[in-house]
Amino acid sequence: VLEQVAAPLAQAVQQFIEQGFAPWQPRFAERDALEGQAVSLSDGGQGVARGINLVGALRVQLSDGTLREVHSSEISLRPVE
């Protein structure tokens, strides 16, 4: 099993090192459990998750319609009131 996993994993890591997150973004978006969900951030911000950008930042649509890109923060799936 290790032989079957090690080579593809090494290739994937090398691709990430060379090209960053952008090639992975479409596959991640297909599995994005946050898409369309109300989220609250550890800094008090709230909005609706709108996917991720090409560098992996979470896009959150705020109540005023603006999109905020979150590069680092804790995200909670607790209902937003």
Side-chain angles (χ1 to χ4, degrees), residues 40-45 58 60 68-76:
S40 60
L41 306 174
S42 61
D43 67 1
L58 175 67
V60 177
R68 176 179 169 193
E69 293 186 344
V70 180
H71 295 273
S72 65
S73 187
E74 182 179 313
I75 299 163
S76 173

Side-chain angles (χ1 to χ4, degrees), residues 32-40 47-50 59-60 76-77 80:
D32 186 358
L34 287 178
E35 174 66 40
Q37 300 295 314
V39 295
S40 60
V48 176
R50 295 295 181 208
R59 295 167 22 132
V60 177
S76 173
L77 288 177
V80 176

Side-chain angles (χ1 to χ4, degrees), residues 6-27:
L9 179 59
Q11 291 172 347
V13 169
Q14 188 61 39
Q15 179 190 33
F16 187 83
I17 290 169
E18 293 172 0
Q19 299 176 24
F21 183 73
W24 299 71
Q25 193 268 348
R27 288 181 287 184

Side-chain angles (χ1 to χ4, degrees), residues 41 45-48 60-68:
L41 306 174
Q46 295 181 349
V48 176
V60 177
Q61 186 172 19
L62 304 176
S63 60
D64 66 2
T66 61
L67 277 176
R68 176 179 169 193

